[in-house]
Amino acid sequence: MYEVRIIGTGSFLPQQIIKNDSLSDLVDTNDEWISTRTGIKERRISSGENTSDLAIEAAKEAIKDAGINAEEIDLIVLATSTPDFIMPSTACLVQKGIKAYNATCFDITAACTGFIYALNIGYQFIRTGQSKTALIIGADTNSKIIDWSDRNTCVLFGDGAGAAILQRTDKEGIILVDTGSDGRGDELLFCPGVHLKNPFMEEQEEKKQVMHMNGKEVFRFSTTVVPQTIEKLLQYSSYHIEDIKYFLLHQANARIMEAVAKKMNIDPEKFYKNIHKYGNTSAATIPIALNEMDKAGLLEKDDLLVLVGFGGGLTWGSALVKWNK
Ligand code: COA
């Protein structure tokens, strides 16, 4: 088995900033409610960019950061719940956009856990020798599936993309990944697909193709599953909670991060937060934050990080990473 490390990161966000106050023009809400319940102050919303546009820019930055040529990439895995098309995959659009013609490309859907699942796929492809250099992307244009008349959801989400380049190495990088799913929670967070209809069946009621969420249950699920996956991850490694420099959780709600820190008795300062600027960008939150942390000089060689995703499916996953860029 080969070792796998992250050699570059990138991110891209739409220019358009929508502050909390602007949402009170659409629904009965206010900055005070949104800030105190979620930690969100503003989010970036597409003014025409689709998921592939955001992903291509994030990928270009990651490639530059890694110091590689796009032709070296032999695998592109893109996690999204908001693809440009049902087919072709958004990963294929990225391949064309960055001219990575030697790559095998596909999308995966694991909602807000998507980046961790994609990272795991890249990790396994490289570990087993099938791939040498993988581009992993989390990208979502949530604004196109948000019900802008539903105050329970429209205040929470934003658009964005983040990317990482993984490469075969002889040094320790990605140490362990834990993932899980529970399809019994499918109705807690979902967005219907293309309506089922054909000339040989009876007409069915058409569900609005927007995001539906049971916020309270998703909150409960998140604060339960995140400590469990972190504990499981560390249990199978030779490291302890105290060895971890940063916990990079999916940015869904600042209160989820605070609850996890309290439950696990971890210094809340170890939880990186940028949710105030971008809201929940689904599969993109973790790679956007990772890129930001690296650019801000927060990550030093051999630092240990725990990345954690959770979301619709239900799905969850975590990765223990030694920073070895
Ligand atoms: N502005 C103002 N009031 C709002 C509101 C908004 N945007 N959204 C909901 N409210 C109201 C509710 O209608 C309710 O009013 P009522 O008491 O008159 O019925 C009240 O605020 C409390 O709602 P509640 O749902 O109990 O709030 P909460 O403290 O549970 O916070 C969430 C709601 C959505 C912020 C919280 O449940 C959450 O973050 N859940 C997880 C969601 C998530 O992270 N999803 C993505 C996971 S990947």
Side-chain angles (χ1 to χ4, degrees):
M1 293 282 182
Y2 296 98
E3 297 287 350
V4 184
R5 69 187 172 117
I6 297 173
I7 61 165
T9 61
S11 64
F12 189 77
L13 290 129
Q15 292 256 304
Q16 179 169 236
I17 298 174
I18 303 295
K19 292 190 181 294
N20 287 346
D21 281 335
S22 307
L23 297 178
S24 11
D25 299 337
L26 303 175
V27 290
D28 180 12
T29 191
N30 54 70
D31 176 45
E32 211 259 325
W33 192 98
I34 303 171
S35 310
T36 53
R37 302 283 179 127
T38 69
I40 300 166
K41 299 294 284 181
E42 58 190 46
R43 73 283 295 138
R44 303 296 183 92
I45 297 294
S46 166
S47 43
E49 307 92 338
N50 212 332
T51 302
S52 67
D53 301 312
L54 307 177
I56 287 168
E57 293 310 315
K60 282 181 181 167
E61 191 189 337
I63 289 167
K64 195 167 168 214
D65 190 40
I68 60 163
N69 295 317
E71 304 85 67
E72 289 177 56
I73 297 168
D74 52 27
L75 177 70
I76 301 178
V77 187
L78 188 144
T80 188
S81 305
T82 52
D84 293 28
F85 300 103
I86 289 173
M87 63 172 173
S89 70
T90 309
C92 280
L93 305 180
V94 171
Q95 173 185 43
K96 184 176 164 193
I98 62 171
K99 302 187 171 62
Y101 301 126
N102 295 318
T104 296
C105 312
F106 56 91
D107 290 358
I108 61 140
T109 301
C112 300
T113 318
F115 184 77
I116 300 291
Y117 275 38
L119 183 86
N120 195 25
I121 294 167
Y123 172 53
Q124 301 299 343
F125 265 67
I126 298 176
R127 249 161 79 82
T128 50
Q130 180 149 3
S131 179
K132 267 191 188 159
T133 306
L135 167 61
I136 305 302
I137 304 172
D140 271 302
T141 318
N142 289 309
S143 58
K144 63 185 179 184
I145 58 163
I146 285 170
D147 178 351
W148 290 101
S149 64
D150 176 14
R151 69 176 182 175
N152 290 299
T153 51
C154 79
V155 302
L156 301 176
F157 294 90
D159 301 331
I165 307 281
L166 309 186
Q167 198 167 61
R168 183 190 291 180
T169 175
D170 50 7
K171 301 176 203 150
E172 200 173 38
I174 298 173
I175 299 170
L176 274 173
V177 182
D178 173 60
T179 56
S181 315
D182 184 357
R184 290 168 296 184
D186 58 343
E187 290 188 352
L188 297 182
L189 183 52
F190 69 94
C191 175
V194 179
H195 181 55
L196 179 62
K197 191 171 156 188
N198 70 48
F200 310 102
M201 63 175 276
E202 274 180 35
E203 202 60 43
Q204 287 187 352
E205 192 199 337
E206 191 165 345
K207 271 199 171 156
K208 231 172 147 187
Q209 206 175 15
V210 290
M211 204 185 298
H212 302 261
M213 184 182 73
N214 179 334
K216 269 200 184 345
E217 284 304 317
V218 172
F219 194 96
R220 195 169 302 143
F221 152 74
S222 312
T223 51
T224 306
V225 84
V226 172
Q228 283 171 354
T229 184
I230 296 175
E231 270 159 18
K232 196 166 159 207
L233 193 69
L234 293 176
Q235 193 187 325
Y236 288 104
S237 80
S238 53
Y239 298 104
H240 305 281
I241 292 262
E242 311 75 68
D243 300 324
I244 310 302
K245 184 162 178 196
Y246 286 110
F247 293 85
L248 173 42
L249 266 56
H250 165 51
Q251 308 282 303
N253 186 327
R255 280 167 52 220
I256 293 178
M257 294 183 254
E258 285 152 17
V260 171
K262 197 168 170 202
K263 213 168 180 174
M264 300 191 75
N265 202 17
I266 302 171
D267 177 0
E269 292 293 313
K270 285 191 167 190
F271 288 69
Y272 185 79
K273 285 190 199 132
N274 63 9
I275 188 164
H276 55 289
K277 293 189 285 186
Y278 311 130
N280 180 347
T281 55
S282 295
T285 68
I286 295 172
I288 290 173
L290 194 60
N291 183 46
E292 247 187 33
M293 290 168 78
D294 188 32
K295 299 290 170 308
L298 297 177
L299 304 178
E300 288 169 40
K301 193 171 162 7
D302 292 337
D303 278 347
L304 288 171
L305 314 173
V306 168
L307 318 180
V308 191
F310 51 88
L314 300 167
T315 55
W316 61 90
S318 58
L320 177 60
V321 175
K322 186 176 269 187
W323 195 248
N324 211 338
K325 216 180 88 179

